[in-house]
Amino acid sequence: MIIVKDLHKKFAGNHVLRGVNYHVHQGEKIVVVGPSGSGKSTFLRCLNLLETPTSGEIWFDGQRINDKNVNINQVRRHMGMVFQNFNLFNNLTIMDNITLAPVKLKIMKEEEAKEKALQLLARVGLTEKADAYPSSLSGGQKQRIAIVRSLAMSPKVMLFDEPTSALDPEMVGEVLEVMKELAETGMTMVVVTHEMGFAREVGTKVLFMDEGIIMEENTPSEFFSNPKSPRLQEFLSKVL
């Protein structure tokens, strides 16, 4: 579903991604871990061109999306994105946050979008918040709403950029629970996270990034029980 070929990204003099190659297949849950500054979030943000690669190729659904002739906004309709800081519109109700994109992009009529929004809110246990504003919600509730907002577009893949790192510890669980349930529906997911328990439980593959490359990848059981590189061994000894 996603093919990344020789991906490089430089910011000024800083070479953040140094030739990343990777394939994501339909239905996979790819969990990306590594130290701060290793390039994880930049890699994720290149997948939907929130960051423009310096060089290399990114393919999604058979189309090279960093070709200048591609309408990236059309492509992004199929790639849900959940950010660290929720990115909800504070001046809109929860219902309007969720229905805005499907209605504006004429993917659904308003009634249909509202019906879908209510179904999704029920799924994350927040039906009663439809008419509330984001400012009245906890961080965990906001992030669940942010996930619902992405799902309202019926994406083919969901990208998560450290979705729990801005949350109080006791709210992390409620967001990870929603992500686990989503994984169980067969959604293709790429998740950058510090939550090793989630990586172990939900990932089909775990990638370890450091210094702008994918240093190691494996199934969760092998990744955590049998790390090959000294750098990954050192990293796991600090985070587990």
Side-chain angles (χ1 to χ4, degrees):
M1 187 177 268
I2 299 173
I3 300 171
V4 177
K5 292 184 183 174
D6 196 25
L7 180 65
H8 288 259
K9 177 64 181 176
K10 293 176 182 169
F11 294 100
N14 190 5
H15 199 163
V16 178
L17 297 177
R18 301 167 176 267
V20 175
N21 294 287
Y22 203 70
H23 285 209
V24 179
H25 298 96
Q26 190 167 351
E28 283 190 314
K29 318 316 168 225
I30 305 300
V31 183
V32 187
V33 304
S36 294
S38 58
K40 310 182 298 291
S41 286
T42 303
F43 169 63
L44 189 80
R45 291 167 69 89
C46 283
L47 296 182
N48 63 358
L49 297 202
L50 283 178
E51 296 292 354
T52 308
T54 305
S55 64
E57 298 179 11
I58 297 173
W59 295 73
F60 174 67
D61 243 9
Q63 183 179 34
R64 182 178 168 182
I65 64 170
N66 63 327
D67 177 320
K68 59 180 184 302
N69 299 318
V70 167
N71 178 348
I72 189 59
N73 290 326
Q74 288 281 9
V75 173
R76 285 186 187 134
R77 290 183 182 190
H78 305 293
M79 303 176 100
M81 179 90 179
V82 176
F83 300 89
Q84 205 167 330
N85 294 318
F86 329 125
N87 289 14
L88 297 173
F89 295 108
N90 288 323
N91 59 330
L92 299 180
T93 64
I94 298 310
M95 177 58 81
D96 290 342
N97 262 284
I98 297 166
T99 57
L100 179 68
V103 172
K104 224 179 169 64
L105 296 170
K106 298 187 166 55
I107 291 167
M108 292 178 201
K109 294 197 162 65
E110 193 167 343
E111 278 315 301
E112 194 188 345
K114 282 185 170 171
E115 196 175 313
K116 178 155 192 183
L118 286 171
Q119 287 168 1
L120 289 168
L121 284 170
R123 234 170 102 178
V124 299
L126 291 173
T127 311
E128 78 287 356
K129 298 294 184 187
D131 298 323
Y133 285 86
S135 59
S136 69
L137 304 187
S138 71
Q141 290 172 330
K142 285 180 190 173
Q143 197 57 295
R144 285 187 278 161
I145 296 297
I147 294 171
V148 162
R149 181 180 57 180
S150 284
L151 291 176
M153 294 289 289
S154 304
K156 294 178 180 176
V157 61
M158 286 283 285
L159 309 176
F160 292 86
D161 188 9
E162 301 198 15
T164 58
S165 63
L167 300 179
D168 292 337
E170 61 205 46
M171 291 174 187
V172 169
E174 64 191 59
V175 172
L176 293 180
E177 204 46 53
V178 169
M179 291 169 65
K180 282 177 198 164
E181 284 169 17
L182 182 59
E184 283 162 14
T185 67
M187 175 65 74
T188 308
M189 296 164 69
V190 184
V191 183
V192 170
T193 186
H194 295 291
E195 300 293 333
M196 296 300 148
F198 177 85
R200 184 174 274 169
E201 206 178 318
V202 178
T204 44
K205 286 271 174 64
V206 186
L207 313 188
F208 174 62
M209 285 191 75
D210 195 25
E211 296 180 356
I213 60 167
I214 296 172
M215 210 165 256
E216 198 163 325
E217 67 152 313
N218 220 321
T219 59
S221 58
E222 276 296 298
F223 185 92
F224 288 106
S225 63
N226 191 16
K228 308 277 187 289
S229 68
R231 183 67 187 93
L232 177 55
Q233 291 164 10
E234 179 197 359
F235 175 78
L236 291 176
S237 74
K238 289 176 180 166
V239 298
L240 292 180

